[in-house]
């Protein structure tokens, strides 16, 4: 089977009711992103940050995958599929994708503020002040915040280097290093990009553009790939 890598971003989850980042004028669900998604924000107001991600978890629990997620999961019948997502929701997994790399972390995981290797599942939606790791330190959301390292970048690069087909869907490709991944694919690899508002980079590189929303775009691409 050929290898197929999907690079996904917030746009794939838009049809499931989860808002994208940059379509909202720099605000994320009404918050300045640096207040809720940076180490400085955490130090300044831990309660606000915990509450913000609690609300995101609540929202994700009631969200369902859409046709775009579903088609991506179904492609596993025909390809060795790896999903490299910038999303922290679990909708790819809910749709049935079995190999998902979450570059920017996962909403339903927490980790120790002092021992980053201590990572736990979050049952339900709430993470509170006083929830501690086994060594007695506060737990924080296991999310890669602005200015933090992206520990799964090497694993993602390896997948992109080895892929035979690359699909980019629902990302503005403005956040690095994630946005640089596209450049690691071999020159001969067909590269498709699905987005209703093409990111600027799409004009500079050799990509097949599908200017549509996630579900419509994946339907069109599935027909192209499977004939
Ligand atoms: N289907 C597909 N794409 C869509 C849809 C849709 N229905 N609606 C919007 N989009 C596209 C937008 O046109 C945009 O290009 O999804 C993209 C979303 O871009 P961003 O909001 O910038 O999201 P993303 O690229 O995932 O952001 C990257 O930034 O804040 C950080 O860590 C956060 O992972 C996030 C990262």
């Amino acid at each position: 089977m050929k290898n197929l890598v999907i690079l996904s971003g917030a746009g794939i989850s838009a049809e499931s009711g989860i808002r994208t980042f940059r379509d909202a004028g720099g605000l994320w669900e009404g918050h300045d992103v640096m207040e809720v998604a940076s180490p400085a924000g955490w130090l300044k107001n831990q309660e606000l940050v915990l509450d913000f991600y609690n609300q995101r978890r609540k929202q994700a629990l009631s969200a369902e995958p859409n046709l775009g997620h579903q088609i991506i999961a179904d492609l596993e019948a025909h390809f060795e599929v790896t999903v490299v997502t910038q999303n922290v929701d679990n909708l790819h997994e809910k749709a049935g994708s079995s190999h998902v790399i979450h570059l920017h972390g996962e909403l339903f995981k927490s980790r120790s503020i002092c021992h980053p290797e201590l990572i736990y599942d979050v049952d339900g939606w709430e993470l509170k002040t006083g929830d501690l790791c086994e060594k007695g330190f506060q737990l924080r959301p296991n999310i890669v915040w602005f200015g933090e390292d992206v520990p799964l970048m090497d694993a993602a690069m390896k997948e992109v280097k080895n892929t035979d087909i690359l699909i980019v869907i629902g990302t503005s490709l403005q956040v690095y290093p994630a946005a640089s991944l596209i450049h690691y694919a071999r020159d001969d690899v067909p590269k498709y990009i699905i987005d209703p508002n093409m990111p600027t980079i799409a004009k500079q590189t050799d990509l097949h553009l599908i200017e549509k929303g996630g579900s419509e775009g994946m339907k069109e691409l599935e027909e192209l790939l499977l004939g």
Side-chain angles (χ1 to χ4, degrees):
M1 275 204 247
K2 282 186 173 177
N3 294 327
L4 186 154
V5 169
I6 318 257
L7 300 180
S8 74
I12 184 85
S13 295
E15 290 170 40
S16 297
I18 297 179
R19 273 201 224 153
T20 59
F21 301 94
R22 284 166 194 80
D23 292 328
L27 293 182
W28 186 11
E29 299 283 353
H31 293 275
D32 175 340
V33 289
M34 297 312 275
E35 296 277 310
V36 292
S38 72
W42 172 257
L43 289 176
K44 189 171 156 207
N45 193 342
Q46 181 177 310
E47 288 303 325
L48 175 78
V49 175
L50 286 171
D51 182 59
F52 176 78
Y53 285 99
N54 287 343
Q55 297 311 317
R56 303 285 70 72
R57 246 175 251 118
K58 252 190 190 170
Q59 184 186 40
L61 277 174
S62 61
E64 292 300 330
N66 61 59
L67 184 63
H69 295 105
Q70 197 55 60
I71 294 173
I72 290 171
D74 294 346
L75 285 175
E76 290 190 11
H78 307 275
F79 302 96
E80 289 291 342
V81 179
T82 301
V83 178
V84 177
T85 187
Q86 292 166 81
N87 299 347
V88 297
D89 66 53
N90 58 359
L91 295 179
H92 281 298
E93 288 90 342
K94 267 195 191 174
S97 283
S98 57
H99 187 200
V100 185
I101 296 177
H102 283 273
L103 269 186
H104 293 163
E106 292 178 72
L107 261 185
F108 290 96
K109 298 251 162 88
S110 66
R111 79 169 137 101
S112 168
I113 55 166
C114 289
H115 295 276
E117 72 285 2
L118 295 178
I119 294 172
Y120 305 88
D121 288 335
V122 177
D123 290 327
W125 57 273
E126 214 176 4
L127 187 63
K128 302 187 294 286
T129 294
D131 289 344
L132 307 178
C133 75
E134 67 214 50
K135 298 199 175 182
F137 295 100
Q138 176 65 40
L139 293 174
R140 56 164 270 185
N142 188 28
I143 304 284
V144 175
W145 286 330
F146 285 100
E148 294 188 316
D149 285 344
V150 182
L152 292 177
M153 193 60 195
D154 284 349
M157 261 161 46
K158 200 170 143 210
E159 297 293 346
V160 175
K161 278 182 185 166
N162 285 331
T163 198
D164 302 304
I165 301 169
L166 182 70
I167 301 172
V168 179
I169 180 163
T171 171
S172 62
L173 294 170
Q174 285 189 33
V175 171
Y176 284 81
S180 66
L181 278 171
I182 197 167
H183 303 298
Y184 290 90
R186 295 190 314 270
D187 286 347
D188 65 316
V189 165
K191 304 173 188 84
Y192 302 91
I193 182 158
I194 299 173
D195 201 300
N197 309 295
M198 277 300 157
T200 333
I201 194 173
K203 300 189 183 90
Q204 306 158 13
T205 32
D206 176 25
L207 299 159
H208 302 273
L209 309 183
I210 301 179
E211 204 149 357
K212 293 191 171 164
S215 295
E216 281 268 305
M218 275 311 302
K219 239 194 303 185
E220 184 172 319
L221 185 49
E222 185 187 32
E223 279 160 24
L224 269 174
L225 293 175
L226 304 181

